[in-house]
Amino acid sequence: MDIKAIDNEYVAHTYGRFPLEIVSGKGSLVYDEQGKEYIDMGSGIGVTAFGIADDAWVAAVTAQLGKVQHMSNLYYTEPCALLARALCKKTGLKKVFFGNSGAEANECAIKAARKYAAERKGPGHHTIVTLKNSFHGRTLTTLAATGQAKFHELFQPLTPGFVHAEANDLAGTIALAQAHKAAAVMIECVQGEGGVIPLEKDYVQGLAAFCAAEDILLIVDEVQTGNGRTGAFYSYMNYGVEPDIVSTAKGLGGGLPLGAALFGAKTQDVLGKGDHGSTFGGNPVSCAGALSVVSRIDEALLTEVRAKSDYIFSALAGAAGVESVSGMGLMIGIKTVKPAADVVKTCMENGVLPLTAKDKVRLLPALNIPMALVERAVGVIKDACR
Ligand SMILES: *Cc1c(COP(=O)(O)O)cnc(C)c1O
């Protein structure tokens, strides 16, 4: 069967797929239809936090599948409650709303921010400030939040009430927030789709102080950076700030669709009965898998993530054909002399699957990728950059 031909005929052409069909895998190794092995340096865009078919995750998911695969949110289920508690214990945040994706997590955060500001400050305080070069999702509202014009062009009109500030320009961001009577400022501490670019610490801290003083909510989009990815449980923890709302998804479910908005002390009771909902939100199977993921993101794992990160940074920085390396933890962008797409193509031929982000080669391997595979993959990437 020619799966590529069938897919090309029947699946909407919204993705530029690589000419590669993945049929199986284990951990950080995946296999194509010919049985060729690849080191997975993308983990499904930061989703399979513990790799493909991770034993503990599979056990948690299959155990729940045999009990209840779905129940409406009219009833209590154990995985949903335990996961919410685990997330609150890890963060000090107070309450969790579960959806199914990053965009939905951001939609929930935005709705909560608008309601908070409307109740506290009255009408007209609905604007959300986000950053240029950000990425917050593909729904019409999260597209409006996304500060990249190329995503907007063909889909006007988008949801109104979003303005975009220059990242790391504190005075400019504050001026924009004041001019628009902002309800919230939403940031990614490391802009992922924008090219794996960390925000400056002074900027994030200054922004947090401004938001707290003005009772403007600070929302941190941890969809890509979250759940251990940057060497902390959430990336904001590397910055010493406390957001009012955190959105997350991708790695949270370990491979099943799951998103969450986490609310702090000020925002925990903003959304009440009937204000928001999602049929699949908090799905018990997704939550059981997520609980297995979250419970294993401990100090020992995070130390490992940082050590592997240090190895990759030092191996690639200054290597032939590498202009610069950016990122945090196991979220790494490599600016190459050759076009990133050419480097990725050579890597694929040599059994390594990296991603791209804008003009960079991007690495988002599983958090538990064995060091030996990191070394092998880095060797292939270095050769491909040369
Ligand atoms: C991927 C991503 C999203 C969107 O997540 P979906 O699950 O695709 O809706 C939002 N924000 C950031 C920072 C992301 O990386």
Side-chain angles (χ1 to χ4, degrees):
M1 242 195 309
D2 188 347
I3 293 302
K4 289 169 204 161
I6 296 170
D7 187 294
N8 287 337
E9 182 163 359
Y10 293 108
V11 176
H13 291 173
T14 59
Y15 304 104
R17 296 204 205 278
F18 292 108
L20 180 60
E21 181 196 350
I22 301 296
V23 295
S24 66
K26 188 72 190 169
S28 287
L29 293 172
V30 295
Y31 301 89
D32 72 9
E33 73 279 20
Q34 265 116 45
K36 182 175 167 184
E37 182 181 274
Y38 299 86
I39 302 172
D40 180 9
M41 295 301 282
S43 62
I45 316 189
V47 168
T48 48
F50 284 86
I52 303 288
D54 166 70
D55 289 335
W57 181 87
V58 169
V61 163
T62 49
Q64 184 59 40
L65 262 178
K67 290 181 195 165
V68 176
Q69 82 276 33
H70 170 83
M71 188 37 65
S72 81
N73 279 306
L74 301 173
Y75 306 100
Y76 294 95
T77 57
E78 180 181 293
C80 174
L82 297 187
L83 178 60
R85 181 176 70 179
L87 289 170
C88 290
K89 297 262 186 238
K90 291 266 188 201
T91 58
L93 295 160
K94 303 295 184 196
K95 285 196 172 48
V96 183
F97 176 87
F98 290 112
N100 311 285
S101 66
E104 270 182 282
N106 285 334
E107 291 266 351
C108 177
I110 291 161
K111 278 180 75 173
R114 290 232 169 123
K115 187 174 176 209
Y116 179 88
E119 287 177 344
R120 288 287 176 111
K121 299 180 175 175
H125 292 80
H126 54 258
T127 298
I128 315 278
V129 178
T130 66
L131 300 185
K132 291 180 185 167
N133 197 46
S134 59
F135 183 82
H136 296 295
R138 301 285 197 161
T139 62
L140 287 171
T141 295
T142 56
L143 270 184
T146 293
Q148 300 189 56
K150 70 164 180 182
F151 290 108
H152 295 173
E153 278 151 19
L154 302 169
F155 305 104
Q156 300 290 338
L158 304 176
T159 305
F162 290 87
V163 293
H164 309 296
E166 202 69 58
N168 300 318
D169 174 6
L170 184 58
T173 309
I174 288 174
L176 201 62
Q178 284 171 332
H180 290 273
K181 293 193 254 171
V185 178
M186 178 156 81
I187 58 171
E188 302 157 87
C189 290
V190 184
Q191 293 187 329
E193 302 304 312
V196 201
I197 306 170
L199 296 181
E200 289 166 12
K201 198 163 190 173
D202 287 352
Y203 174 73
V204 174
Q205 291 186 343
L207 200 54
F210 162 74
C211 287
E214 302 284 323
D215 199 15
I216 291 170
L217 298 178
L218 178 64
I219 305 173
V220 179
D221 179 341
E222 296 273 2
V223 172
Q224 189 162 152
T225 51
N227 312 298
R229 176 58 51 193
T230 67
F233 189 76
Y234 285 132
S235 67
Y236 71 77
M237 294 170 177
N238 293 318
Y239 288 81
V241 298
E242 290 184 13
D244 299 298
I245 306 177
V246 171
S247 58
T248 190
K250 288 197 169 96
L252 177 63
L256 283 173
L258 186 64
L262 283 61
F263 298 105
K266 282 203 316 203
T267 54
Q268 61 175 318
D269 295 319
V270 172
L271 293 179
K273 247 179 217 120
D275 282 340
H276 201 45
S278 167
T279 298
F280 288 113
N283 172 274
V285 178
S286 298
C287 287
L291 195 55
S292 149
V293 168
V294 166
S295 64
R296 284 182 286 158
I297 304 174
D298 55 12
E299 233 356 273
L301 181 87
L302 294 174
T303 303
E304 248 188 69
V305 166
R306 293 192 293 266
K308 287 173 216 168
S309 174
D310 289 347
Y311 171 82
I312 296 172
F313 268 87
S314 55
L316 290 173
V322 174
E323 280 181 13
S324 61
V325 187
S326 66
M328 204 180 279
L330 287 176
M331 179 170 177
I332 296 175
I334 309 160
K335 178 88 185 74
T336 52
V337 175
K338 291 183 194 167
D342 294 356
V343 173
V344 169
K345 186 164 177 284
T346 307
C347 286
M348 280 179 60
E349 286 160 10
N350 294 303
V352 172
L353 301 181
L355 302 164
T356 58
K358 288 220 156 152
D359 60 348
K360 294 188 182 160
V361 176
R362 174 173 44 160
L363 307 181
L364 292 172
L367 305 179
N368 66 342
I369 183 173
M371 195 58 201
L373 291 185
V374 173
E375 288 169 2
R376 255 170 63 194
V378 165
V380 168
I381 294 164
K382 271 171 94 166
D383 285 345
C385 289
R386 229 191 295 272

